[in-house]
Amino acid sequence: MTGVSKSYGDFVAVDGLSFSIQPGGIYGLLGPNGAGKTSTLRMMIGIIVPDSGQISIFGEPLNRAHKDRFGYLPEERGLYRKMKVLEHLTFLGQLKGLTGAEATRRAQSWCERFELAAWTGKKVEELSKGMQQKVQFIGAILHDPRLIIMDEPFAGLDPANAVALKDVLLELAKKGKTILLSTHRMDQVERLCQSICLINHGRAVLEGDLNQIKARYGRRHVQIKYEGDARFLDEPSLVQSFNDYGNYVEVQLAPGADPQDLLKLASSSARLSKFELMEPSLEEIFIDVVGKPNA
Amino acid sequence: MRNTWLILKREYLQRVRTRSFLVLTLLLPAIMTGLMALPAKLATMGQKAQHIVIVTSSPQLGEIVRQQLLATPTDDEEDDANGADNNAKQKHEDQYIVDVDANPTEVERAALRDKVSQRSIDGYLWLTDDAIAARKITWYSREMMPFRERSRLSETVSRVLQQQELSNKGMTPAQADQMLQPIKVQPVRIEGGHEAKGSGTGRLLEIVVMVMLLYMAVLFYGISVMRSVLEEKTARIIEVLLSSASSTELMAGKLLGVGAVGLTQILVWAVMAGVVALPSLATQPNLSDLAIPPSVMAAFALFFLLGYLLYSTMYATIGAITTTEQEGQQLQFLIVIPLVLSVFMLMPVIRTPDSAAVVWMSMIPFFAPILMYARIVVQTPPLWQIALSLSLLIATVWGLLIFCARIYRIGVLIYGKRPNLPEILKWLKYAKA
């Protein structure tokens, strides 16, 4: 994706966004609500057309023929309420180019995997929300697409189902499929994704390999467990801010500060039981880069 | 193409398999038959004998009028009678109770007036010699619109008086009758160099049936199309579909699928009607009147399908730019107005199928399905006019399809506020790529 922009009237949803996804593995598209994630995905699958910029998929400019090679799980789930589960899945599979029989066979086996086998003859409206979501997910991967695009796939799933879904995603990634995960849930991305693109107000703020990003943001956090005088926390040349969690404090180091100096200072006034340099969580990076998301 | 077919198939099967489809298909004809038969039934059921008093100076004259009123109607009247009236006419004796009152005084008049008010009689006819001389005979009754009575009364009275006058001038009653026999002009249509049988009522029936069918199909299935677009929007299915198929494919599949459902229904009805009506039709002497030439059938199929496509495309667009059915129904007038206008223009088309206004009106695509078809039935217009009207219609349907597919593509993803016209135009620009 190169320099892609899209605006609705005066509102700029996506503003000169560029990123690239390597084949294979799970890629995270991150951003706060309204950052332009869904618009980006919709442009990638050709539902909406960018005002400017280029989108290439599998090395060629996006065209209609690509539609059968990706699977899309939209944020707003949608199924025909009056259709039976198996019929519905078959229909979706056929739209993606499968034969009716093949689509039915695959739908059946996926339903077994997701413990939906008893429900295949039921109408969609009789299913619980979580089950509908699983049906929707199956619909997106039924045709074994090379690129799977998922908008908030875990929203609304209970923990057990979320784990089942995660397992399938990892399994598909291992098979060499490319999975694009769009979400504002940092913890999921942190656990699943190899690379990310963080967007805000339609622009890419951070992009690249997750480990490298974390390394770049460096070990700027220290977790300290102590007894005694907490004066060392007030040293402005070393401590930019801290968060007292009761059992321990988490300290963000001031720019250029050496953690060793803080250790010396702290040990001079208090008894330390723990002093650990922390890898920043994606959430911290996110807040750091984006600023506190406004409600 | 494959996607269109898949969507068509889904729309079709999902609809046809529902119980409501089955019920509607089987019950609607029964309900319609009932609705059509009911008013006629009611009209005859509520009728009781009319009690009439004829006030006259000469009892003989009153007696003649009385007998004429009770007599079975003449051929002349029978011609105007349609099916429902027929059996009513046959029982004129049950319809009237006629008394002759040879006491033309003001006192009697007041008494009769009271009787009318008290409902012991329905009306009285003031047929005194003075009134006849003044040629001003009056019928007094309670009714607001005593059309039937008045026309039958005045016909009878004037016939009787004319007969009397003629016989006073020396004619025998037979001669008088002969002379009073009305002369009818028999209309014969010339069609394709041949004298057509029948009066052309069958032709009018064809037009009415077509208009009814188109009207029903458009309203019924058009709304169905709109609802289905709205369903995909509100249930948010559209996004998944658009990731697999283009908006044009979606729209075409939907229109054709719903259209196929409509055709199935009409076909079932046609078969049902055929089974029910054929035995009775076979006994009708003017069956040839109803036989529809193949060219008209072809025109019907063509204009019906194109008309359906034109209007249901408009419905789909309305579905795409609105979010709720109520909103959609508010915009429906855009569709209903051209339909109603075409129905209004049917009369001019039937009367003067060649007038310039009619010719050009039938070229306008929104009216063509009804008006051009009507012209073909009434009096086959020159081929170039049919061709022109058809090509304009096809071009419009095609253009509208593309136009709507674009609006559809953007509109279906917009939730919430209904767009105004400038916004819609902007979408068109966006969707061009």
Side-chain angles (χ1 to χ4, degrees), chain A residues 79-269:
Chain A
L79 296 166
Y80 290 108
R81 297 168 47 74
K82 300 274 177 205
M83 265 182 114
K84 289 179 181 155
V85 171
L86 196 62
E87 274 176 14
H88 203 309
L89 287 173
T90 306
F91 171 65
L92 290 177
Q94 281 180 307
L95 275 185
K96 288 292 194 186
L98 295 179
T99 64
E102 178 65 12
T104 310
R105 197 186 59 73
R106 290 194 197 183
Q108 193 87 51
S109 91
W110 276 112
C111 282
E112 275 158 30
R113 166 110 194 233
F114 278 106
E115 293 165 355
L116 285 170
W119 299 85
T120 48
K122 295 268 196 289
K123 283 184 183 170
V124 169
E125 60 186 350
E126 294 171 54
L127 269 60
S128 75
K129 270 212 148 148
M131 285 194 265
Q132 289 186 17
Q133 177 144 359
K134 289 193 278 183
V135 172
Q136 185 106 56
F137 177 76
I138 295 171
I141 57 169
L142 203 59
H143 54 297
D144 199 22
R146 273 176 66 185
L147 172 62
I148 303 166
I149 298 173
M150 321 230 110
D151 204 349
E152 300 286 2
F154 296 100
L157 285 184
D158 63 32
N161 279 316
V163 167
L165 181 63
K166 182 208 70 181
D167 288 345
V168 172
L169 285 179
L170 287 175
E171 190 183 304
L172 289 169
K174 257 183 214 136
K175 280 191 197 155
K177 311 288 178 204
T178 311
I179 298 166
L180 175 63
L181 201 67
S182 162
T183 179
H184 63 272
R185 297 273 308 272
M186 306 298 155
D187 49 332
Q188 290 161 357
V189 173
E190 198 153 12
R191 274 175 293 178
L192 287 170
C193 301
Q194 285 84 49
S195 309
I196 60 153
C197 176
L198 176 61
I199 64 175
N200 194 29
H201 299 305
R203 295 168 193 267
V205 212
L206 263 183
E207 201 227 330
D209 183 89
L210 186 58
N211 289 325
Q212 283 172 12
I213 289 176
K214 282 192 169 183
R216 202 185 325 150
Y217 272 77
R219 305 182 166 234
R220 307 302 304 165
H221 290 254
V222 185
Q223 217 179 66
I224 307 169
K225 223 171 173 175
Y226 68 94
E227 280 169 19
D229 197 349
R231 236 184 349 193
F232 63 90
L233 291 174
D234 299 329
E235 176 53 53
S237 64
L238 293 174
V239 176
Q240 186 176 346
S241 65
F242 66 90
N243 235 335
D244 194 341
Y245 290 99
N247 284 335
Y248 59 89
V249 282
E250 212 171 87
V251 171
Q252 193 183 2
L253 294 171
D258 186 349
Q260 293 304 322
D261 293 340
L262 182 63
L263 179 60
K264 278 180 208 147
L265 182 68
S267 59
S268 68
S269 65

Side-chain angles (χ1 to χ4, degrees), chain A residues 49 72 80 94 96 98, chain B residues 2 232 239 242-243 409:
Chain A
V49 181
Y72 177 52
Y80 290 108
Q94 281 180 307
K96 288 292 194 186
L98 295 179
Chain B
R2 182 169 179 271
E232 276 166 15
E239 225 171 312
L242 279 180
S243 76
R409 169 157 153 193

